[in-house]
């Protein structure tokens, strides 16, 4: 049997502070939110999952904090996306030209992104693998071209890649974060590259690979299964020499998941704080938004992206990976202002 703890009754602002001070709630993931209830989940076996809800009452159920610099930040961190690919699902290759991509990255920094994530291989459903040399040719000039501006603005440059050689080339060019959709499983050398660096590492869950992941995704319980697999990848990363404080997790919305799987994960995100590391969520412009709406193309999914992103923040997510940085920051400022009243 395995036991999981999911925070419920999540509070923010003064309500969270007062409830914690009164002993009626516990801080959530070391940050400014708190939870007053806990769902205790016991997985006895396949298909046999038992649940009950109990008060939090001063319980230190989530004792590992989510990194000092994240815990101290009131507003979530926005990760802006730069797709240096000709076949991105979201922008159709608009930033494939290096000069255009550099200008876009600069615009994301100006708009307030705390992280800029630069990728040279599309990982959309059905995507074709890109040769590593070509991927490096796409991402390194962008990282080098925006590095000085990012350093001046204290913005993290992230490389979105599954490949160890690309990781190393990006780190050499100035990246300080690795965002790997395979959670460092695709390339046997990736764990060692990440461990030798001082970079933060995003471990994302994906069932299958981009070419096949949406053919027939299946889980016993998607939330618990994703939790278990991310827990195993955190353990593997630590065993390889990557310190816990360098690790971020991403449940991989849309990566080997049906619409129902995505909704279950978004509705129960607070469970993942039990892993003791920051939580990154990427919902921006994804296909499940259109399937729940009117079939809109990717560039017309802003409303759904903001709604799903704010729901993730309400579950305590510390980072949002988005295409629409100014609009997301505006929405977060408004939501934070209301919650702080």
């Amino acid at each position: 049997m395995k036991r999981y703890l999911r925070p419920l009754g999540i509070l923010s602002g003064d309500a969270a502070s007062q409830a914690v001070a009164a002993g009626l709630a516990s801080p959530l993931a070391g940050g400014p939110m708190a939870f007053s209830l806990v769902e205790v989940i016991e997985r006895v076996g396949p298909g046999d999952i038992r649940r009950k809800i109990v008060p939090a009452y001063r319980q230190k159920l989530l004792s590992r904090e989510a990194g000092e610099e994240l815990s101290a930040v009131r507003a979530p961190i926005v990760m802006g996306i730069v797709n240096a690919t000709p076949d991105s699902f979201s922008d159709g290759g608009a930033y494939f030209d290096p000069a255009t991509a550099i200008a876009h990255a600069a615009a994301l920094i100006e708009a307030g992104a705390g992280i800029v994530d630069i990728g040279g291989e599309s990982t959309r459903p059905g995507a074709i693998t890109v040769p590593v040399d070509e991927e490096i040719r796409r991402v390194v000039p962008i990282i080098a071209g925006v590095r000085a501006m990012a350093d001046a603005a204290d913005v993290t440059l992230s490389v979105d890649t599954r490949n160890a050689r690309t990781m190393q080339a990006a780190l050499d060019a100035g990246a300080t974060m690795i965002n790997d959709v395979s959670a460092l499983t695709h390339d046997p050398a990736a764990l060692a590259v990440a461990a030798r660096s001082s970079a933060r590492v995003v471990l994302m869950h994906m069932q299958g690979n981009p070419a096949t992941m949406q053919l027939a995704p299946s889980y016993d319980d998607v939330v618990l299964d994703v939790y278990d697999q991310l827990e195993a990848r955190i353990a593997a990363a630590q065993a390889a020499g990557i310190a816990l404080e360098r690790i971020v997790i991403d449940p991989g919305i849309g990566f080997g998941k049906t619409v129902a799987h995505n909704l279950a994960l978004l509705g129960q995100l607070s469970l993942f704080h039990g892993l003791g590391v920051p939580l990154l969520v990427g919902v921006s412009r994804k296909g499940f938004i259109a399937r729940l709406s009117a079939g809109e193309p990717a560039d017309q999914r802003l409303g759904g992206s903001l709604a799903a992103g704010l729901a993730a923040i309400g579950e305590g997510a510390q980072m949002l990976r988005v295409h629409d940085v100014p609009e997301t920051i505006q929405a977060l400022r408004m939501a934070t202002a209301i919650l702080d009243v």
Side-chain angles (χ1 to χ4, degrees):
M1 183 184 76
K2 185 169 182 179
R3 192 166 178 257
Y4 308 80
L5 303 170
R6 179 163 77 99
L8 297 173
I10 296 175
L11 306 167
S12 60
D14 288 343
S17 300
Q18 292 172 14
V20 170
L24 300 175
S26 296
L28 180 64
M33 304 175 79
F35 59 100
S36 58
L37 300 169
V38 177
E39 182 182 29
V40 180
I41 305 169
E42 294 177 341
R43 179 183 255 181
V44 181
D48 187 358
I49 298 170
R50 303 170 188 180
R51 303 169 185 266
K52 64 180 178 180
I53 296 174
V54 300
Y57 292 144
R58 295 184 183 273
Q59 297 179 74
K60 295 181 179 179
L61 296 175
L62 306 177
S63 59
R64 292 181 293 180
E65 293 194 357
E68 284 187 13
E69 75 272 29
L70 289 174
S71 302
V73 173
R74 182 64 189 91
I77 296 173
V78 173
M79 172 189 274
I81 301 168
V82 179
N83 289 315
T85 61
D87 56 345
S88 167
F89 87 92
S90 62
D91 51 42
Y95 307 112
F96 186 48
D97 173 71
T100 304
I102 290 170
H104 181 55
L108 297 180
I109 293 171
E110 290 280 0
I115 306 169
V116 174
D117 193 38
I118 301 163
E121 179 185 47
S122 175
T123 51
R124 60 178 174 77
I128 298 172
T129 301
V130 173
V132 174
D133 288 341
E134 172 62 16
E135 184 186 29
I136 292 172
R137 188 191 67 78
R138 293 175 181 181
V139 301
V140 166
I142 302 167
I143 294 169
V146 78
R147 179 178 181 175
M149 182 179 184
D151 288 347
D154 197 24
V155 169
T156 298
L157 292 181
S158 169
V159 61
D160 177 5
T161 183
R162 307 179 285 166
N163 299 305
R165 282 207 297 124
T166 307
M167 292 174 192
Q168 189 61 64
L171 294 170
D172 292 343
T176 57
M177 176 178 275
I178 297 167
N179 181 16
D180 184 353
V181 297
S182 78
L184 302 177
T185 64
H186 173 75
D187 188 329
L191 272 168
V193 169
R196 286 196 303 267
S197 76
S198 59
R200 302 202 77 169
V201 180
V202 180
L203 303 175
M204 196 197 80
H205 176 273
M206 173 173 59
Q207 188 176 87
N209 59 64
T212 63
M213 63 188 180
Q214 289 304 110
L215 295 181
S218 177
Y219 301 87
D220 179 33
D221 181 289
V222 64
V223 180
L224 302 187
D225 288 356
V226 171
Y227 183 102
D228 288 350
Q229 290 169 37
L230 286 173
E231 184 177 49
R233 293 313 301 158
I234 291 171
Q238 288 185 283
I242 301 170
L244 188 68
E245 57 266 24
R246 290 170 53 199
I247 298 172
V248 177
I249 55 166
D250 179 347
I253 301 299
F255 283 78
K257 281 94 175 174
T258 65
V259 171
H261 293 150
N262 292 329
L263 293 176
L265 286 164
L266 288 170
Q268 300 179 56
L269 279 175
S270 64
L271 177 77
F272 292 92
H273 296 301
L275 294 172
V277 297
L279 175 60
L280 166 68
V281 177
V283 292
S284 182
R285 301 186 183 180
K286 291 193 172 176
F288 81 104
I289 295 171
R291 287 190 281 278
L292 288 168
S293 184
E296 299 89 345
D299 62 355
Q300 294 178 29
R301 299 173 188 165
L302 176 60
S305 300
L306 293 175
L310 289 175
I313 296 303
E315 290 280 305
Q318 291 97 345
M319 302 178 184
L320 285 183
R321 184 177 185 272
V322 306
H323 299 86
D324 303 291
V325 169
E327 294 86 350
T328 301
I329 289 175
Q330 184 183 77
L332 288 173
R333 286 173 177 164
M334 180 59 67
T336 300
I338 293 169
L339 291 172
D340 280 345
V341 170

